[in-house]
Every structure is written in structure tokens, then in C-alpha cells.
Amino acid sequence: MHRFILALAVLAFTCLLLPATAGAVCPCSSAAGFDNFCHHAPSTAGCSMTWPGGYCDPNGDASYTDADWVRGYNEYRGQYPNGCNASESCPCSSAAGFDNFCHHAPSTPGCGMTWPGGYCDPNGDASYSDADWVRGYYDYQDSFPSGCGSTPPPSPSCSCSGGSDYWGNAINPASTYCGYTVCGGDNQNYECTSTGWASRGGSPCAGSPTSCTCTGGTDYWGHAIDPASTYCGLDVCGADNQIYECTTSGWQSRGGSPCATPSPSCRCTNGSDYWGNAINPDSTYCGYTVCGGDNQQYRCDPDGWQAIGGSPCADGGPRNLNCFGLAINANGPPVSAPTVAQLQALGVRWVRTIVYAGNWEMVRNLGEALNQANINLIVVFNSQSFVDTLCETDRFQIPGNCFWYAYQDQFADNLLSFANSYDDYVDAYELWNEPDLTDVPSNAFPDLIRQGSAALRTVSSKPVILSGPAGQNWLDYFDEILFELETDATLAYDGVAVHPYGKRLAGVPAYPQGQTMESAIDDVLNLMSRPVPLWITEFGVPLVDLQSFGDPAAVQADYLSAAYTLFGQYSEDEVAHAFWFAWSDYVQDSVNGGGRMGLIDVDLERRLAWDAYKACATDSCVLDSSQLTAMGGRLDCPCPAWDTTVDNVCAYPMVEACASLQQPACAETPINWQEGYYQLAQYCSAP
């Protein structure tokens, strides 16, 4: 009752603070590089986040210097996943006379053109009085030429005639095929489809008009590449299943993930570790690493066990080499996530990221790249991972005035849809995140997991991880949900996630009055009557909790080392993996201040915890951080990696590492988006 009264009071107070337009929908924008609600001007009508006190302007000075750019980016992408006018996911309707996308109701999910700023509602008043009905009709006819449910399957072959590229070179129809892409005369991309050339729009594709002609090329499917159709920047999937780019000096390999085939699968037999324990083949996967009988590391690859050598891996006692995970956020701007090379340098074996609505394709890009580096990926799928069309909740909340059984069905349906498209790129699924802190009732959570797991297992054999609670009464919540779920004939999960924050570790001054980390782990292990491995999918310590302990950065590094040392004393059947939270301060909701838990800060400066992690994962933990050789220094400004829709350095938060690229274009009023595009394109294409 007290919680209910408090919630009403908070709601009433919050309503007093919101601008009069807060009930409206924040509009989309077609401006180049516009991909963040915080790109709107301060106090934009309908955009409460841009008003004083909103997350774009917490201190109310209208400068956005303290804006939560990550949240603004993710919420904009969730609201407008395909841009203002995209029609790819807008549904067909069999209603009589329905022949126009503008016949859909205002703000129809999946129909960007019906949202404020789209071509059905340019002025955002939901009346369609200014709609582009002609475009709506033709776009609808192009998408559904034969009506609903009867669109003929695409032709397995394509030949596109009448094309010419940006530099006036005619495209030989014999060299085209389904998916063939060319930079057209209007400096936009065009793709060859079964119905001819289709515009793909996007940023200018030609950059500067440097002349390139590349000869002797053949693509993965055996098609010869007509030199007359080549140009600077043309990408082709080569015969060796790698990307090649046409440059002024000819074809240049860009390498990377296989461009035409799904990721391989691995299952390694007849393995045993340094201590004589047999390795269960069913527990192996691509990238699984073990310390072998000769005290050297071995990795499970598609061809079986492969020696990777290195330092003796058993020094200091048993080590679970697969333990080392890292929480990242691959949904945000490039400064918020590491590169594969950085992960490899740290010794990371597993990466964890949440999946956001409107950004599922990120998983394909991330999974392919990680697979090539033998790094595994676990994704978190929760309320933020899909647009709730039934209960109409905010993505960062759970159902309020909505029956749980209805929400559970919707959760399972969306999870199945995701797995149908992206299971090849995922190695494990964590269902939900900290249910007690999102007010999921303990008597409703088991059915959410059951339905989600049942749907997932119809298409995937990957491990399903039950998300654990993290609040003050976390163990009681665990007890209630495990008591219910362990009555099932077949468990709905393969592992249990825990987030043991605020726990005490021997030899580290942090949390002197807290429960020990060891007892927290043992409490969960003892709760289970049907044991499964623990996945510590988040743990860490924020610098703000360490201000009274001398050098906070040193204590943080010692905490990391002590934790991984403790986790290594458990078998893999007890503690399978442990993910430090987090790679960067950007992973947290608040990047300006926040808890400062990252291995790097918001300016891409390495902390001492970076060195501690690398020592633990690649050699052995150093329990006294004063003995670490501190790497220090700032990382380079990153190029877009997982989210390939980011193509403008002015879409990045303003950080020191990128200052040379962002100044002066991104500091101008208005922002010089064109210059920001060319600055990033030139920087990221440099050798």
C-alpha cells in the first residue's frame, strides 16, 4: 500500500514538471544524420526530453552538454526503426478500398510515414490534411503489387538493364544479379532486384569523384565483374567469401566476417583439461577454450581442438578460461562499444549486450565479427527489445494496466521472431534483466520464462539463461521463482544469471559491511534443487562507491582481480562465466557522472581496471594493483562497427578522442552535417 501511495505521489509530482506538450509524440526528422531525439532543438514541442529537466537537458541550460545521448539515440531508433518514411515493415490490409499507406491510422507501429514528420503527417497534427497521398498510393502498390498474402515469391535471378553509375559508366546487364549495388547518378545507392533497380537512398555514396576502374574481379557466385561498372568504394563478396573494395590501386581485401555464408558450428570431442577432467562435447562451442594436459591453451574450432599456445595456463591453480566476459552496449554510438581487436587484446571470451527494438540487425553485424575472433555472444531480450503494441507501455517499463498473460504471449512471439532471423549469430540468450528491479511480480515471472523459452527452443538449441534479481530482497525473489520453475518436468532454462553487486571480497576494502561474494554465490547454488551453472552476467564496483578508500581506481582494479580469482575456484558446472560491468561508462543509462564502472571512461581513457582485466584473462590475476603495468592513455576515435547506419561524426557524443574530427563542423550552429559525414568517411577509409 505504501508503494502504491508513493507511486501516485511521484506521478503527480512528475506531471507538474512536464511541459504542456509532453503528451504529444516527438517527431521524426528527415535531416541528414538526424538519428537522436537530442538532435531536436531545446524545448521542441512534443519532445519532453528536450525541455529543462528532460534527459537531453537535465540541468535546464539548453546547451545539451549533460544530455544522455545514448538514451536519445536508442529511443529514436526504437520509435523510428526505419526512418521517417520507410515502408519495409508497414503491413498490408485487406480492408475494402485500402490501397494507400496513408490509410493506416496515425502513428501505426512499423509505418514510419504515419508518424509525426512522415509523409502522411508532415506537420504532426495526426489529421493527414497535408499528407502526400500520391506517394502513399505508389509506395503501397510497390510493396504489395498483388494484394495481401498473394505477393509472388521473388525470382531467384535478377538482371537489371538501363543503369549507369555516378561517373556515367553504363552497367552491363549481364554483370548484374540479385543484390548487386551501384552508386547512381544522383549519388545514392541502387540495388538490383527481381523487379529492376530499386533506390536504397542513404548518405552520398560516391564521396569525392575520384576515378577507379578495377579489372579481373569475380564475385562469390562466379559472376565476372565488368570493369566498366566498377567505381571507388564498390564492395564485392569475393570467391574466398571475403569483402573486396575497388580503390584507385585496384581491388583491395577488406577481410572480416564471411559475406555469403552463415557462421559455422563447433562441437569438439575427446578433450580433457590440465587437471584430468573430461570435457563434455555438448558444452563446447566455437571459441571454447581449455587449459590442456600440456599446460597450454586449446580452442574449439570447426575442425576440432586447435592449440593456441601462449604462457602456461595452469600457473596459480585451476583457471576457467571461459569465465572472462564483458558487458557492452552495441546499440549506442560507436564510442560506447569496443572493437573486436580491443576485445581480443583484453582476452575477452564472451560479450553480453542487450537487444533494443528497431536495432535487431546490430546482432548480425556483431555476431559475425565476434565469431571470426572466437568470441561468443549472449544477448539480453526483455521489454526494451520490442515495441509493445498490445499493452502500450514505455520500452523501459513493464506492463501496468495490462494482463500479464497477454504481455507474456507478446514477449514470446517477439523472441521467436528474433531467433528466426538471428539465431546463427547468438551463442546464448538471457531472458529479461533484473526482474525485481523492473517490478515484475515473482508469481508472474516464471510463466514469462516458460513461454519465452518454449518459443525459443522451437528454433534454437542455444543455452537459455534465467535472469536473476538484483534488489535488496534478491535471494527471497530467487527462492520463489526457482521453487515454481523447478516443478516443471523439463527446466525452462540451462543456466541462472546473478548480479552480485555490493559484495565484499577478501583483501579489498570495498563494502566492508556487505555480504561476501562467496556466500552470495553459495546461497544461490544451495537454493537450487536441480542445479544448473551460474552465469554472473553482471558484476563490478562503481568508483562513486570507493571515494573514501584512497585511490578509487586502484581499489576498483583490486576488486576485479579478487573477484575473478574467487570465480576461478569454482568448477564450470558451478560458475560458468562472469561478465565485468562494463566496457565503458557509456553502457550505463547516465554517461555524465553515473557510477563510473567502465574499463574506460566517457573520453575513452583507460582505467587501471583495464590492466587488471587483461592480466587476469591473458596471464594471471595481479591481486595488488600497484604491481600492474598501467597501460593508460586514450583509445582512438572509433569507426562505426556494429550499427552501420551511423555515418556522421556529428552523431557521436562530443568526446576528446574525436575532437579533431568533430571540430569545427559539429560545434557550428546549425551543425554542418555534410562536413561531419565527409570527416568520418575520410577518417574511416584511411589505411
Side-chain angles (χ1 to χ4, degrees), residues 346 543 551-558 560-561 580 598-601 605-615 622 624-633:
L346 279 170
L543 291 181
D551 183 352
V555 177
Q556 185 183 55
D558 289 340
L560 183 152
S561 298
W580 176 262
L599 299 180
I600 62 172
D601 66 18
E605 290 275 1
R606 298 180 183 92
R607 291 199 173 107
L608 197 57
W610 166 292
D611 305 286
Y613 188 103
K614 183 174 182 178
V622 178
D624 180 359
S625 57
S626 66
Q627 303 302 310
L628 286 169
T629 301
M631 176 72 71

Side-chain angles (χ1 to χ4, degrees), residues 644-687:
T644 54
T645 64
V646 179
D647 61 2
N648 199 303
V649 75
C650 295
Y652 289 23
M654 299 291 282
V655 297
E656 288 289 335
C658 303
S660 62
L661 299 177
Q662 294 179 317
Q663 301 290 350
C666 307
E668 294 178 5
T669 303
I671 292 173
N672 188 339
W673 292 103
Q674 183 176 13
E675 181 63 20
Y677 167 80
Y678 284 113
Q679 285 285 348
L680 188 64
Q682 181 178 15
Y683 172 72
C684 292
S685 63

Side-chain angles (χ1 to χ4, degrees), residues 213-470:
T213 300
C214 294
T215 60
T218 303
D219 69 16
Y220 180 79
W221 299 273
H223 304 110
I225 307 299
D226 182 359
S229 69
T230 61
Y231 53 88
C232 297
L234 173 69
D235 288 341
V236 170
C237 187
D240 60 353
N241 208 5
Q242 299 292 302
I243 291 290
Y244 286 79
E245 179 180 358
C246 182
T247 72
T248 54
S249 56
W251 294 109
Q252 297 292 324
S253 173
R254 283 177 40 201
S257 305
C259 46
T261 58
S263 303
S265 59
C266 304
R267 186 175 184 272
C268 293
T269 58
N270 301 320
S272 60
D273 65 20
Y274 179 77
W275 300 274
N277 302 305
I279 306 299
N280 183 353
D282 293 332
S283 70
T284 61
Y285 46 80
C286 294
Y288 182 99
T289 308
V290 67
C291 189
D294 59 356
N295 205 8
Q296 297 293 303
Q297 295 183 26
Y298 286 79
R299 182 180 62 231
C300 182
D301 285 352
D303 296 328
W305 294 110
Q306 301 293 324
I308 56 178
S311 304
C313 48
D315 291 355
R319 294 183 68 221
N320 172 8
L321 297 172
N322 302 295
C323 182
F324 298 100
L326 187 61
I328 72 171
N329 187 344
N331 301 271
V335 294
S336 69
T339 66
V340 168
Q342 289 165 346
L343 293 170
Q344 288 178 305
L346 279 170
V348 175
R349 266 66 170 198
W350 278 83
V351 163
R352 175 184 185 259
T353 186
I354 197 167
V355 177
Y356 282 159
N359 202 27
W360 288 5
E361 190 65 16
M362 168 275 297
V363 174
R364 185 192 311 275
N365 303 331
L366 177 62
E368 284 183 340
L370 292 178
N371 179 266
Q372 289 299 299
N374 293 298
I375 299 172
N376 295 277
L377 174 64
I378 178 172
V379 296
V380 180
F381 199 93
N382 67 353
S383 61
Q384 296 166 267
S385 305
F386 62 96
V387 176
D388 175 11
T389 59
L390 182 64
C391 300
E392 298 182 350
T393 59
D394 183 277
R395 291 190 307 117
F396 292 89
Q397 297 173 346
I398 47 79
N401 299 322
C402 183
F403 290 112
W404 262 104
Y405 70 82
Y407 188 84
Q408 291 160 1
D409 288 343
Q410 187 178 205
F411 174 77
D413 289 345
N414 279 276
L415 179 58
L416 177 60
S417 177
F418 173 84
N420 270 322
S421 297
Y422 301 101
D423 186 63
D424 284 342
Y425 311 102
V426 174
D427 297 290
Y429 296 83
E430 184 176 352
L431 304 191
W432 213 262
N433 185 54
E434 300 178 348
D436 57 330
L437 296 185
T438 50
D439 292 332
V440 182
S442 59
N443 61 353
F445 191 56
D447 280 339
L448 182 82
I449 296 301
R450 286 174 174 134
Q451 290 184 234
S453 177
L456 184 57
R457 285 174 171 172
T458 63
V459 297
S460 175
S461 60
K462 309 294 175 57
V464 177
I465 308 304
L466 168 69
S467 179

Side-chain angles (χ1 to χ4, degrees), residues 70 73-74 327-339 582-588 591 600-602 604 638 642 652-653:
V70 173
Y73 173 85
N74 290 325
I328 72 171
N329 187 344
N331 301 271
V335 294
S336 69
T339 66
W583 157 255
S584 163
D585 288 351
Y586 273 104
V587 177
Q588 298 168 264
V591 301
I600 62 172
D601 66 18
V602 294
L604 279 62
W642 324 127
Y652 289 23

Side-chain angles (χ1 to χ4, degrees), residues 171 175-182 190-192 197 225 229-230 234:
I171 307 299
S175 70
T176 61
Y177 50 88
C178 295
Y180 184 99
T181 304
V182 67
Y190 286 80
E191 181 181 352
C192 182
W197 294 109
I225 307 299
S229 69
T230 61
L234 173 69

